[in-house]
Structures are given as C-alpha cells and as structure tokens.
Amino acid sequence: MQRRELLSMAAAAATAASLPRWAWSATLKQRELFPVGVASGAPTADGFVLWTRLLDGPVPGTVAADTPRVPLPESLTVRWEVAEDEAFRRIVRAGQAEARAALGHAVHLEVSGLQPGRWYFYRFMHGDAVTPTARTRSAPAADALPERARFAFVSCQRWEQGHYAGYRHLLGEDLDLILFLGDYIYEYAMPAKPPSPPLVRHHTLPAARTLADFRDRYALYRSDPLLQAAHRACPWIVTWDDHEVQNDYAGLHGSGAADDFLRRRGAAYQAFYENMPLRASVLTSGIDGLGTLDGLRIHERHAWGRLLRFHALDTRQYRDRQACRPPGGAPLAAVTPQACPELLDPARSMLGARQERWVEEGLAQDARAGTRWSVLAQQTIFARRNYQPLPEERYHASTWDGYPAARQRLLDAVRGAAPRNTVILGGDIHQNYVCRVLADFADPRSPVIGSEFCGTSIASASGTPQARAQAIADHNPHVLLARADRRGYAVADVTPQRWTTTLRVVDDVTRPDSGIATLARFVVDDGVAGPQAA
Ligand code: FE
Ligand code: CA
C-alpha cells in the first residue's frame, strides 16, 4: 500500500461517524475478537480518540511460534457506542467503523462535539463479541481553571522483566489521565541464555524487525489484563522512546545496515500508530519513499483548561546521532567533552530545529494565556548528571546530557518565554530522579527555573546500583532524589496553588499482586520554581 493511500484511509476511518448498512462487512460469529482490549486518548475539551484492534486466535508470543493463525477478513465492521452512563442508557454517540487489514485491523475513532470536563463510557462490538465497558473523559473547557487534576506518568514496561502490579494500584489513584512517556514495548527476542535475575515472563517472539513482528509485540503487551484495565480507566496521552523501534536509535541512525534500520523504523512507526489511541493527523508528516511510514508527528500539545498544558515532546525521531557514536554501531556508554569534543557541537539537536521552535512558541503562548503549569512531557532525564565529581566530567551519551547545547537552548527558551511554572517530566532511565532545573547547569549558582520529575519504570530492570545513583546525587547538588532500585509510577496532583508529585513503588515486580508504597513526595508551589520535599 502506498503511503498516500494509507494516510487517506486512516483519516477517513478515524473521522467517519457511521457507515451505510450495505457497507457493513459480514459478521464473524462466536469468536473472541478483542483479546487486546480498548483504549482512549488525546482528550480535548469536546472529545477524545477511541481505539481497539481486532485479533483472531491466540495472542502471539504466548503460544508456539508455529501455531497456525487464521487471518481475519480484509475488512470488518465494528459497532461502537459512547454513553454518559455505565449502563449505556444515555448513549450520546454511536456508529460503525471499519477495521482494515492494511492498518492491522485497528480502529481509531475521533469523537467530538461532547461536553467539556466530564466522564463518558464506551464499548465496541462485532457480532456477539462486546468489549468490556471502558471509561474516558473530555478535558475541561479551554477557559476553565479546574480546582484539581490528577494524572499519573509511567514509562518502560518491559513485559518479560516484570508484572504490571503498578497498573493495578494506579486504578485506585482517582486519575483523570495517564501520561505514557516511552518504551511501551521492547523489541528484543528472549535472551539466548537466562539472565540474572531471571526473567519473570517468557514469550516466543523473534526480535521485532517487520510490521508483522511489531504488530505481534503490541498484541503481546496489550494482552496483559492489568495494562488493559489501566487503558479502560481513563484517557492516555502517549509518546514513545527508543524501544518502540530499536534500542538507542537516534533519528535516522540505528544499529546495523542503514537501509535495514530505516525499514525497521518505518514498520515500527506504523505499528505504533496502529496500536495507540492517536489522531489520524499524526500521520501527516515525514519524508517519502521508505516503504512504510517514514514519520509520525507525535509531538503535540494537550490543554487541561488553564490549569495545565502538556507539551508532549519527541526526543527520538529528529535527534542527531549520539556524540562519537560510530555509524551503524552502538552509542558510547559515557562521553566526556575532552575525549569527544563533538559532544559540545551547538548544531546537534535533541528535538530537531522545527520542534525546538515549536516548544519555544508554545511556552510563549502559555505565558500570554496565563497557563498555570506548563508541562514538558518528554522521554528521558533532563537535568545534568555528571558521573564524576568536578572538575572531571563524564556524561550519559543518550540523555539530555549527550546534547548539552540543545538542552541549553531549551533552558533559554523557558527563561525567555517565562511561563508561570515549568515542570519537566521524563522516564527512560528506569530510575526516579527529582531535580531543580537550573538556568545553566554549568553554573550551580544560576537561578532555579523549573522542576523535574523523572519517573522510574513500570517493569523494566535498572542496571544501576543504588550506591551509584546516590553518588551522582551527592555530587550534583540540583539532584534532590536519585533512586535506581524501585519500579513503579508517579502521580501528579495539581491545583492552581500547588503541584504534588508522589512517587509510588511496588514491593515486588515479579508478582502481579504486589503491594505498593510511597517512596517520596515533593511539592512545587505556584510561582516558586523547584521541588521541595513534603
Ligand atoms: Fe526503558
Ligand atoms: Ca528508553
């Protein structure tokens, strides 16, 4: 299928409210067609995206790799309903949508024209098969200043390394929204020899390279009942990191042969669209000619009235190669400005020039509009982590430390635009970090201009011993907390006067029924940049 056809098909499928009866497909009988559940996302003041994907037969990866699979027909008609009540007595929208093979039998529906700031219920049906009822909501009206918003931010859910007990506890957090900051899937095959500690779950999938591989990987992850329940609880805003494509990739640069990598990236991007509650408008950008999707515009702003605006960034798709990374090879584990002067090259970007300007414009809009909290929702840790005590310097090559000039431009943009409060959220490193954001990390006496909360992983292991994380905190005084040893999620409780981040950690990631505890709590008061222990 040509890229252009794919785009127009996706756009038509996402916005068509209903099909004439004659256009419905034949109905498949007595089959379980929704084993990967439902999701909603990208909430606006008048609607949201609803998502599901039809799948026939056993979930791939959980059965022998050669188990025969019966393909679904080219096209299937799915019915859907949105109601004000859980019993579907007051249905406010309903229709039919096509699930087509070219888009992995995924359904994306953009529902609009609803009331601001309220909850809705939805479900999909085909023949006798009905999805469980799920809940979602619209954002508050653009000019409203809600008294409170509660959302969680999560990242890094490597399926084989842990159970998703965090999501079970998240259901009790009374959330409006879940923000997913990357590494929704991991592309790896099972390791040839068992690692230590041993893996918690086992699948049969090969390392993901093709569109079919990536589709299977999402199906495996989405078959998890706790993850499904978290998607049924509220809308999600999703971004990606590297493992949705390939470990440590940077823009057009990956490991292995360049054209293999670009084909893989295109397949992975298409599978990401197919499996996430995204608007069809994300499909409009990119360069042509790589076979499948050559770009997805996933960076987007999401307003929550005047209380919050999320600037969801994409630090993977447009970034320059890590400093001193050999073409086709892996990035260095750590870089120093002495051994790798390229590190300091001001031309290197994390966001790409266009997205850099877009963030700057957005922060200026927030300042003008009086947005209370400007949230930079991005993938990885932002604050400086010098691995050595000064005057020595040694940095991670793939976090913002690997792109110091680009980080300084973003800091300058925050300082220049001066939105009322700036909070940076991240993931990727499988560790909890709480940091003061300094106007210039090279100058420890420069003003604090924001607050950073980098959340730990839901399930992915951390290779960093806690003693090392603590040593980094000790000689980077803007780092207020560094914990490498716990898995979990973070909850932000936001009012016009105060932002509160609670770091929640599971007792035992190897158990789906694990307990939960609070690791730490930090607040940010309106007008006072920087987190304070609560
Ligand atoms: Fe990760
Ligand atoms: Ca990552």
Side-chain angles (χ1 to χ4, degrees):
M1 167 146 326
Q2 293 303 305
R3 179 170 172 273
R4 200 170 298 276
E5 285 176 62
L6 187 73
L7 300 194
S8 54
M9 179 202 289
T15 49
S18 64
L19 298 166
R21 189 69 180 87
W22 55 262
W24 292 18
S25 70
T27 301
L28 296 180
K29 289 276 184 206
Q30 296 179 348
R31 291 158 100 170
E32 173 48 80
L33 293 169
F34 300 103
V36 293
V38 301
S40 69
T44 61
D46 82 333
F48 33 70
V49 177
L50 301 181
W51 173 92
T52 190
R53 179 181 158 199
L54 286 81
L55 201 69
D56 196 22
V59 172
T62 60
V63 290
D66 56 0
T67 304
R69 287 157 73 176
V70 189
L72 289 173
E74 202 52 42
S75 172
L76 280 167
T77 305
V78 176
R79 290 175 292 126
W80 57 273
E81 293 173 345
V82 176
E84 290 178 350
D85 64 314
E86 198 167 356
F88 289 88
R89 290 196 190 91
R90 299 190 303 280
I91 292 174
V92 291
R93 290 283 185 287
Q96 306 83 36
E98 287 295 285
R100 304 186 62 167
L103 286 167
H105 291 102
V107 176
H108 295 79
L109 270 172
E110 295 174 25
V111 182
S112 60
L114 300 178
Q115 297 296 312
R118 67 157 296 161
W119 288 95
Y120 292 93
F121 298 86
Y122 66 95
R123 62 187 175 189
F124 293 93
M125 292 148 282
H126 179 90
D128 301 334
V130 185
T131 65
T133 295
R135 213 168 72 122
T136 190
R137 59 163 300 163
S138 55
D143 58 355
L145 183 62
E147 281 172 27
R148 163 166 268 116
R150 276 177 71 80
F151 68 93
F153 50 100
V154 296
S155 60
C156 294
Q157 51 184 15
R158 189 163 171 186
W159 185 89
E160 58 270 35
Q161 287 183 334
H163 281 285
Y164 297 160
Y167 285 129
R168 181 196 300 284
H169 294 287
L170 208 141
L171 299 177
E173 297 276 9
D174 190 24
L175 302 174
D176 294 305
L177 190 71
I178 292 172
L179 206 55
F180 194 87
L181 298 177
D183 290 355
Y184 192 97
I185 57 163
Y186 283 70
E187 77 282 19
Y188 300 121
M190 295 297 280
K193 55 177 192 194
S196 172
L199 293 168
V200 174
R201 303 195 255 192
H202 301 267
H203 66 73
T204 58
L205 300 177
R209 309 178 66 84
T210 66
L211 180 56
D213 293 341
F214 282 106
R215 284 172 170 168
D216 285 355
R217 192 63 56 120
Y218 283 102
L220 171 69
Y221 277 58
R222 276 281 175 75
S223 70
D224 183 283
L226 297 176
L227 178 57
Q228 288 191 11
H231 277 294
R232 286 200 303 272
C234 62
W236 287 41
I237 292 173
V238 294
T239 65
W240 57 25
D241 194 30
D242 53 339
H243 286 287
E244 284 86 351
V245 178
Q246 184 192 63
N247 182 34
D248 283 336
Y249 90 94
L252 297 169
H253 308 278
S255 302
D259 52 347
D260 282 355
F261 170 71
L262 291 178
R263 264 196 300 278
R264 178 194 295 212
R265 195 184 96 144
Y269 281 10
Q270 180 167 337
F272 185 80
Y273 173 73
E274 289 176 358
N275 286 281
M276 291 295 152
L278 294 167
R279 293 183 188 275
S281 57
V282 306
L283 290 163
T284 54
S285 84
I287 45 170
D288 244 334
L290 297 174
T292 48
L293 269 186
D294 36 28
L296 273 193
R297 191 193 189 282
I298 65 156
H299 61 283
E300 190 53 278
R301 306 191 219 280
H302 305 270
W304 206 257
R306 290 188 293 124
L307 180 65
L308 286 162
R309 196 153 76 133
F310 299 99
H311 304 257
L313 308 186
D314 178 353
T315 62
R316 280 290 165 190
Q317 185 173 192
Y318 314 109
R319 72 155 86 182
D320 285 300
R321 200 168 42 84
Q322 289 90 348
C324 298
R325 177 181 188 169
L332 303 174
V335 283
T336 70
Q338 292 76 31
C340 178
E342 182 190 327
L343 177 65
L344 305 178
D345 180 353
R348 297 177 61 249
S349 179
M350 188 75 150
L351 300 172
R354 283 174 60 184
Q355 193 183 182
E356 285 189 14
R357 282 197 303 277
W358 176 86
V359 184
E360 196 170 353
E361 287 161 14
L363 293 170
Q365 290 163 6
D366 286 355
R368 284 197 301 273
T371 301
R372 195 59 63 108
W373 303 93
S374 295
V375 184
L376 299 177
Q378 48 89 54
Q379 284 71 42
T380 191
I381 185 152
F382 184 76
R384 174 189 282 214
R385 290 183 306 158
N386 185 2
Y387 289 165
Q388 304 292 332
L390 287 167
E392 271 191 81
E393 291 181 272
R394 206 171 136 77
Y395 300 107
H396 198 293
S398 290
T399 67
W400 284 89
D401 273 332
Y403 301 79
R407 176 171 56 198
Q408 192 57 51
R409 285 195 295 276
L410 185 48
L411 286 165
D412 293 348
V414 170
R415 207 173 180 188
R420 184 159 171 155
N421 298 287
T422 303
V423 178
I424 302 180
L425 306 179
D428 175 44
I429 59 171
H430 311 170
Q431 305 177 50
N432 277 309
Y433 266 77
V434 177
C435 307
R436 295 191 188 107
V437 176
L438 303 184
D440 176 2
F441 283 107
D443 176 4
R445 279 164 307 195
S446 67
V448 179
I449 62 169
S451 309
E452 174 169 27
F453 300 101
C454 183
T456 188
S457 53
I458 276 277
S460 309
S462 161
T464 305
Q466 177 53 26
R468 185 167 148 73
Q470 188 54 49
I472 290 171
D474 289 345
H475 55 254
N476 290 270
H478 55 272
V479 174
L480 305 179
L481 175 141
R483 284 297 291 265
D485 52 339
R486 306 302 296 271
R487 314 278 73 81
Y489 59 88
V491 173
D493 184 285
V494 186
T495 71
Q497 295 76 35
R498 175 172 271 200
W499 174 297
T500 305
T501 296
T502 304
L503 304 176
R504 303 275 278 162
V505 291
V506 296
D507 303 332
D508 182 355
V509 77
T510 70
R511 297 177 59 104
D513 60 351
S514 166
I516 191 96
T518 294
L519 175 72
R521 181 172 286 135
F522 285 81
V523 300
V524 185
D525 286 322
D526 174 38
V528 186
Q532 301 169 59

